[in-house]
Amino acid sequence: MLPWLFFACSDSPDATSEPAPALAPIVVPQMVITAPDRGAFTGSGDSIEVAGKVTQGSAPFTKLTVNGQNIDISAKGGDFDGKIPVIPGINLIGTRVDASDGGRAVDGRAVMAGDTWDPAEPLGSTVKMQLGPDALDDDRPDVDDLAAVAEAVMADPTLLRSFVGYEVPTEYYTITLSDAEMGISNVDIESGNGEMLVEVEVEDLWVAFDIAGVDWYDWLATTGEAGATTATLSLVLELEADDGEVTATPVSTSVRLSGFWLTVDWFPDSMEDDLADWTQATLEETVADAVTEQIEALVGEYLSAFAADFSFSGFDMHLALASLRCAEDGLRLTLDAWVDFTTKIDMPRGAGSLRTDGDGPAFPLTTTEPFAAAADDDLIHQLLFAFWAGGSTSGIEFDGLTLQALAGEIPPPLGPVELARIDVNLPVTIGKPTYDDMDLDLSIGEMRLKITREDGQKIDASVNLRTGATVGIDDDGEVGIELDPRPAYMTIEVGMEDTPKGLDPGDMAALVRLSVPPLLGTIASFMPDIPVPDIPLDSFSDSLRGQSLGIADPAVRVDDGWLVIEGALEER
C-alpha cells in the first residue's frame, strides 16, 4: 500500500500542476427607487405605490421584496412597481433585490402617511383635566386647593369696604354703610352632579352705618353698629366654559347669622324692632353680595389659570377651555390646544402634523390623585412637528471625538470620522407599542447621517427606524422619552445615498444599521422634554405673591395613545 501512496503523492508527467481557474468577481446589481420620494407626505389611504428600476449585475435576479412582500421582477431586471399597505404615521420602506450569485441591492426610506393637521392649527378638545375632590378642598391649611386659595382671598379684613356707601332705603329712613370688616373665613367646596357647592363661614362680622330719616322723619339722624359672631353663606354655582372663559353663575344663596347684635346712638323706641330686622337683613345681604362676588370671580380665574398659555424651547403652547362639567369625582375640563412656532426649514408639499382618531381615556382620569391631565397624541404630534419644522433636528454636527464620546468608536470603513452631520427630514411620530414592556413605539424617518472621514471620503446614509420607548418625568417636572436600545427589538431600514468608490452600498448599509443602536442616546436628545408648568397664584391675593401650585410626585403613563399625568397639587 505504501508504494501506491507514495506514487500518488509524487510528481508525475500525468499529474497537472496548473492552478484552478479563478472565479469571476460578483458584480452587485443596481437599484433606483423612483416612488415614493424620500420624506414624502402621502396623505390618506391605506396603501402606497413603490416603484423603481433594477439593473442586473453578474447574475440573474431571483426575487425582489418590499417590506418582505414579493414584487414581480424579470430575472434580467428592469422596471418594477407594487403596492404596500401603510398606517398613519411614519412608514419604513425596505426594498431588497437578490441575485442568484449572492449579489444584492438594498434601499431604505420613509414616508409620512395619513391625514394631517395644518401647522399650528387649533386642535379641538385635545386636552382633558380633572380636579378631584382634594384639589377643590382637602381640609388642610396648605394653599394647595381651591378652598385654601379662597380662604387666602377672603382673609382680607377690608373685603367688605367696597360696600361703604351702600344704601338700604326703607319707608321711614335710609341705612347707609359707613365701614365694614370681617375676621377669619373658612371655605368648604364640593363638586356635585352639575353644580359646585360652596359654604363660607365668616367670623367677627362688623359694620358701621348712618341712619337718615325721610319725609316725616327727616329730623332723624343717628349712627350705629351691628355684627355677628359668625355669618355662614351657602352658595350653589353652575359653571360654564364659554369662549375660553369660565363663568360661575349663582343658582341659590342663603345666609345664616349667629350671635347677631346691634347698637345705635339713639333711635325712637317704637321703631327699634323694625331697625333690628332691617339691619340684620342688610348685614345678610351685604355678606351674600360681597362673598358671592368674590367666589364667582375666584372660581372663574382659578379654573382659567389651568388653561393659561406657556412657552418653552422657543414654542408657545396655547390652551383654551372648551367645556366644563361638575361631577361627584370633581371638575372635568376639556381644552382646545395648539403649538405656535416659527418655521425654519423648507417643508415638503402637504407637510402637517399627524391626525389620528380616538376619544382617549374616559373620565374619571384618576380615582386616587387630586389632579390629572391627559394630552391627545395629536397634540404630541403637533409639538414634535413644531420641533422638526422649527429646525431643532436639522444641522446637528459632531466632530469625531464628540461622536466617539456619544456613540463609541466608529470603525472603518465608516470611520475614522472627522465630522458627522445629522438632519432629520420627517417629524417624529409615536404609535401603539409592539412590545408590552414599552409605553409606545417611536418612529424616526429620513434621518440623514452624513459622515466625512479623516481621509476626506464622504458617506451619506438615510436611517429609518422604529423602536419602543418609555415615558417618564424627571426631577425638574419635565416629561421625556427614553428609547429602547435593544437591537433585536428595532426595525431599521437604511438607504445609501453616497458611498466611497469601491465599497458595496449594501455592505455599507449593513454597517450603518449596526451603528444605529449605540447612537440612540444621541437620537433621544432630539426629543423635546415637555414641561409641566406651575400655576401662579400672585393674581389672587397679595398674601399669595410669589406662590404657585405645582404637581407633587407626578406619575406619567400612556392610555389609549394619550399622555396622562397625575399627582397631588402642592404649594410652591
Side-chain angles (χ1 to χ4, degrees), residues 336-360:
D336 302 334
W338 65 99
V339 182
D340 258 342
F341 60 94
T342 300
T343 301
K344 297 181 180 179
I345 65 170
D346 293 328
M347 294 191 297
R349 183 171 58 89
S353 61
L354 184 62
R355 183 173 190 161
T356 61
D357 296 326
D359 296 328

Side-chain angles (χ1 to χ4, degrees), residues 390-448:
S392 297
T393 60
S394 298
I396 303 168
E397 293 187 343
F398 308 97
D399 59 33
L401 290 176
T402 302
L403 186 62
Q404 182 175 335
L406 292 171
E409 185 174 356
I410 308 297
L414 290 178
V417 176
E418 178 180 320
L419 182 68
R421 174 183 170 120
I422 293 176
D423 296 275
V424 182
N425 293 329
L426 276 174
V428 172
T429 62
I430 58 176
K432 293 181 179 179
T434 303
Y435 301 101
D436 292 339
D437 58 344
M438 295 288 111
D439 293 321
L440 50 86
D441 275 358
L442 183 141
S443 299
I444 299 175
E446 291 303 323
M447 184 178 76
R448 296 294 286 272

